[in-house]
Amino acid sequence: MKKNIATFAITLLSGAITATALAYDIGQRSLNFYETTLDTTKHNLHMVVVQKIDMSEILSGDAFKQLKPAERVRYNRFEYNETSAICAERQTTYDGYGRIVKDVNSFAKGNQWYSIDYVNKTYDRLPELPGMVRSIRELFTPYFADSMPEGGYDEFTGYDYDRRYKADKEIYFYFDKDTDTFKGYEISGNPRYNVVELSDQVNMDRAFALPPEDYRRQANEAMRAYATKLVNKTGDIKKKK
């Protein structure tokens, strides 16, 4: 899977400054990424990250050997599209042969929360509740609450990094050496998420497309369990079919 790194489409996102003139304090680049790039009240955000999962690093030797060749590696592709607090998240998973084994897009539209499964040609839809759809920015928020950032150069990746903490977890934000070009992130030792696209160009028709007419409605149990959790948490929201 190719990992060509796209540059920001606008100055607001890129913070484009001549690399030789930059002198960064520890945590400065990750804070700017969080406060500027991910603030979609000011601009749109289109971000795609990919992740490689090598099952040999997760399973025991015997368990790994029992896997079929196509199951020994997984590639996850996450596409985030956000505009004015309207968010869509699409996850596509490929096996070791490059075949799509999962392709699901989730978003809220017209006061409905959709989950569309493009592999099985099904979808589920529920009345939208507060908290159903979350911005990618919320994933990073806890790491900017109280943490004292650390930073340096990672010889293994070839990137500069900012490291921040949340309770017993840590996150690394990676940047091209001596620049503020965002390259990806890694959370608590999980496989790194590498940026392949990052811009302010959101294709609304594609990102928030309703399920095709020939897709059948089928309950998404994870989606419904999360909705139930939200209802129980708020208490004052009536259950709807």
Side-chain angles (χ1 to χ4, degrees), residues 68-162:
K68 298 177 182 179
E71 299 173 337
R72 294 181 177 181
V73 65
R74 283 285 187 271
Y75 298 94
N76 288 322
R77 177 185 188 275
F78 296 90
E79 179 176 344
Y80 301 95
N81 287 287
E82 302 183 12
T83 176
S84 301
I86 302 173
C87 314
E89 177 182 338
R90 185 165 183 170
Q91 178 183 353
T92 308
T93 301
Y94 302 82
D95 67 12
Y97 290 158
R99 298 174 300 199
I100 296 176
V101 296
K102 178 181 180 180
D103 190 5
V104 176
N105 194 29
S106 300
F107 58 87
K109 186 175 185 177
N111 297 318
Q112 298 290 309
W113 183 29
Y114 290 89
S115 176
I116 306 173
D117 185 335
Y118 293 97
V119 171
N120 297 304
K121 295 185 176 182
T122 61
Y123 74 95
D124 199 6
R125 181 185 68 231
L126 297 174
E128 183 181 1
L129 295 171
M132 272 186 165
V133 180
R134 292 173 292 182
S135 167
I136 179 64
R137 191 172 190 260
E138 295 183 42
L139 170 67
F140 303 113
T141 296
Y143 297 96
F144 289 86
D146 304 310
S147 67
M148 294 294 293
E150 300 174 1
Y153 174 72
D154 186 337
E155 293 185 356
F156 178 76
T157 63
Y159 296 145
D160 288 345
Y161 69 87
D162 284 346

Side-chain angles (χ1 to χ4, degrees), residues 21-81:
L22 293 176
Y24 297 104
D25 293 331
I26 291 175
Q28 179 182 347
R29 285 176 285 189
S30 56
L31 182 62
N32 182 66
F33 171 71
Y34 175 75
E35 292 187 338
T36 303
T37 304
L38 297 183
D39 186 357
T40 55
T41 64
K42 300 177 181 178
H43 56 80
N44 298 336
L45 173 68
H46 169 76
M47 184 167 76
V48 177
V49 297
V50 295
Q51 177 190 49
K52 178 182 177 181
I53 300 177
D54 186 340
M55 301 306 291
S56 67
E57 299 176 356
I58 300 174
L59 302 175
S60 66
D62 290 339
F64 177 74
K65 290 178 182 178
Q66 294 177 16
L67 295 177
K68 298 177 182 179
E71 299 173 337
R72 294 181 177 181
V73 65
R74 283 285 187 271
Y75 298 94
N76 288 322
R77 177 185 188 275
F78 296 90
E79 179 176 344
Y80 301 95
N81 287 287

Side-chain angles (χ1 to χ4, degrees), residues 202-214:
V202 173
N203 185 329
M204 296 292 291
D205 291 338
R206 177 182 177 277
F208 298 91
L210 296 178
E213 293 183 359
D214 61 338

Side-chain angles (χ1 to χ4, degrees), residues 198-235:
L198 184 55
S199 76
D200 70 330
Q201 302 301 307
V202 173
N203 185 329
M204 296 292 291
D205 291 338
R206 177 182 177 277
F208 298 91
L210 296 178
E213 293 183 359
D214 61 338
Y215 280 31
R216 59 187 175 84
R217 188 171 180 180
Q218 178 175 301
N220 181 323
E221 298 302 338
M223 176 186 189
R224 290 173 177 257
Y226 184 58
T228 299
K229 181 179 179 180
L230 289 174
V231 170
N232 291 337
K233 182 178 181 180
T234 57

